[in-house]
Amino acid sequence: MNKKYNFYAGPAILPLEVIKKAQEELLNLNGIGLSILEISHRSKDFDDIINTAKDKIRNILNIPDNYSILFLQGGASFQFAMIPMNLLKGGKADYINTGEWAKKAIKEAKLFGDVNIAGSSEDKNFNYIPENLSLSSDASYVHLTSNETIGGIQWSEFPDTGDVPLIADMSSEICSRRIDVSKFGLIYAGAQKNIGPSGVTLVIIRDDLIEKGADNLATMLKYKTHAEKNSMFNTPPCFAIYIIKLVMEWIETKGGITALEDINEEKAKILYNLIDKSNLYRGTAEIKDRSRMNVTFRLSTEELENKFLQETVKQGFLGLKGHRSVGGCRASIYNAMPIEYVNKLADFMENFENHNT
Ligand SMILES: *Cc1c(COP(=O)(O)O)cnc(C)c1O
């Protein structure tokens, strides 16, 4: 098996075990004689898959009973609109502007009500998480991006928003560390970074917020529609949900969230330690807010940066070029990224530094 090292930001690496299992089962799911790609979403077999996926997510993330787990389409980007459509309703919401993804969420929210920017790190090119927030007591909710995939910054502790529901875009970190779900009103995540392929978005929503959703929306745009029909009001992305189920099984065999959190911490440390003692590489995020999922860095000159990126591709390290909007380099080291790959990248980076300084 000649697999390259996948450092892409998304769609991203999946556990090899999961891909193999999907391959094994592709022609014949559980001995039923049909493929997951061709069975009815109304069949008992698919029902088992979606319910198992949900049960495992609930267990793994320790999600309280008064929250629903939904599998929706349209990506995390659609949630940027669906959230204010359902919950803002012409009122006011607090948004924290931490980067490219937060900005996109803000843009959509403005179509549906007043947006108060309760904190921003735009002054320093989004290289930190703002601390002194000016939250409004009359906000319908507070929205933040828990991990900014492009800038490489991550919230370590979440703000206390009292009775105002806290909503988080966790697309690029879901299931990578322990979180207290009860502190949030809604959590959403496009699956394609940490828990599956593209095509499905996980939404964890507190039941009172489902009820509060606006009534005057098209059926498909209401959380209520999807919650009442177990995410099967219409045909769901069956294959993507099936892969999520396999990824959840994989997380269980790895020892659950606590074990993953430890290893993710360790992986990030390997790269940040190297960057910190280097004269060639420079981390772009403030140390206290560095992401454990997306390690962003620059090299001392543009020329060396280009040489470095070309060399990585030759060595089989794919996806290290930073996002087109910010440039630089980025190593995305999601849950499925084995520590051995991170060590290999670190060895390569050290070697490159020794030969180029
Ligand atoms: C990738 C990403 C998105 C966009 O997800 P889509 O599923 O492509 O819409 C949104 N937010 C964050 C934080 C992301 O990393």
Side-chain angles (χ1 to χ4, degrees), residues 50-329:
I50 195 167
N51 289 330
T52 307
K54 278 171 57 176
D55 289 348
K56 289 188 185 297
I57 292 170
R58 193 176 293 280
N59 248 322
I60 285 168
L61 286 175
N62 200 13
I63 301 173
D65 289 341
N66 61 327
Y67 286 73
S68 295
I69 299 170
L70 309 178
F71 298 112
L72 304 182
Q73 299 186 65
S77 299
F78 183 60
Q79 292 308 306
F80 296 163
M82 193 167 175
I83 289 162
M85 228 182 257
N86 277 271
L87 300 173
L88 187 46
K89 301 185 280 189
K92 178 159 96 177
D94 287 340
Y95 274 74
I96 303 164
N97 186 12
T98 47
E100 300 307 317
W101 292 116
K103 278 202 281 193
K104 290 191 174 177
I106 290 165
K107 178 170 176 243
E108 300 303 304
K110 283 182 174 166
L111 297 169
F112 301 97
D114 289 333
V115 170
N116 169 49
I117 303 299
S120 171
S121 52
E122 194 156 20
D123 60 334
K124 288 191 182 164
N125 207 13
F126 300 117
N127 75 347
Y128 70 102
I129 298 290
E131 258 163 25
N132 298 313
L133 306 176
S134 49
L135 299 172
S136 348
S137 54
D138 58 343
S140 302
Y141 59 84
V142 179
H143 179 281
L144 60 79
T145 313
S146 67
N147 183 70
E148 280 281 359
T149 324
I150 293 173
I153 55 172
Q154 186 173 29
W155 291 77
S156 1
E157 271 175 53
F158 296 104
D160 180 2
T161 57
D163 289 337
V164 179
L166 180 59
I167 295 184
D169 175 358
M170 295 201 179
S171 293
S172 48
E173 71 149 284
I174 190 80
C175 292
S176 71
R177 60 167 162 163
R178 279 168 295 173
I179 43 160
D180 181 353
V181 174
S182 72
K183 288 205 167 125
F184 296 85
L186 190 158
I187 292 169
Y188 64 102
Q192 67 274 17
K193 281 141 190 166
N194 263 310
I195 55 167
S198 62
V200 64
T201 306
L202 173 66
V203 173
I204 301 163
I205 178 170
R206 214 173 58 210
D207 291 338
D208 61 295
L209 296 178
I210 296 176
E211 291 307 319
K212 274 196 190 131
D215 284 325
N216 57 340
L217 293 173
T219 313
M220 277 293 285
L221 304 182
K222 294 179 193 173
Y223 288 113
K224 200 169 181 187
T225 302
H226 303 285
E228 281 175 356
K229 299 288 183 188
N230 197 21
S231 301
M232 291 189 281
F233 168 74
N234 69 324
T235 317
C238 298
F239 186 70
I241 293 169
Y242 160 75
I243 298 291
I244 289 185
K245 187 202 90 155
L246 297 187
V247 170
M248 293 304 139
E249 286 166 359
W250 175 84
I251 292 177
E252 284 173 350
T253 64
K254 289 280 151 183
I257 286 285
T258 322
L260 280 183
E261 179 174 344
D262 288 349
I263 197 143
N264 284 332
E265 189 80 44
E266 215 180 314
K267 278 150 52 183
K269 262 200 197 131
I270 294 171
L271 294 182
Y272 287 126
N273 285 346
L274 181 150
I275 286 169
D276 287 342
K277 66 176 174 45
S278 156
N279 293 315
L280 178 65
Y281 308 105
R282 171 174 54 85
T284 52
E286 268 190 20
I287 290 179
K288 68 176 179 40
D289 300 322
R290 282 169 162 174
S291 167
R292 270 86 97 204
M293 295 281 102
N294 309 97
V295 177
T296 48
F297 58 98
R298 311 273 338 211
L299 275 73
S300 55
T301 68
E302 196 98 5
E303 208 186 335
L304 279 170
E305 207 164 270
N306 289 334
K307 186 175 173 195
F308 172 79
L309 286 170
Q310 278 169 15
E311 199 61 30
T312 55
V313 174
K314 278 191 209 147
Q315 301 293 325
F317 300 105
L318 303 186
L320 284 158
K321 198 169 160 54
H323 191 267
R324 60 190 184 280
S325 63
V326 295
C329 308

Side-chain angles (χ1 to χ4, degrees), residues 24 39 98 300 341 345:
E24 266 167 36
I39 61 168
T98 47
S300 55
Y341 288 17
L345 176 65

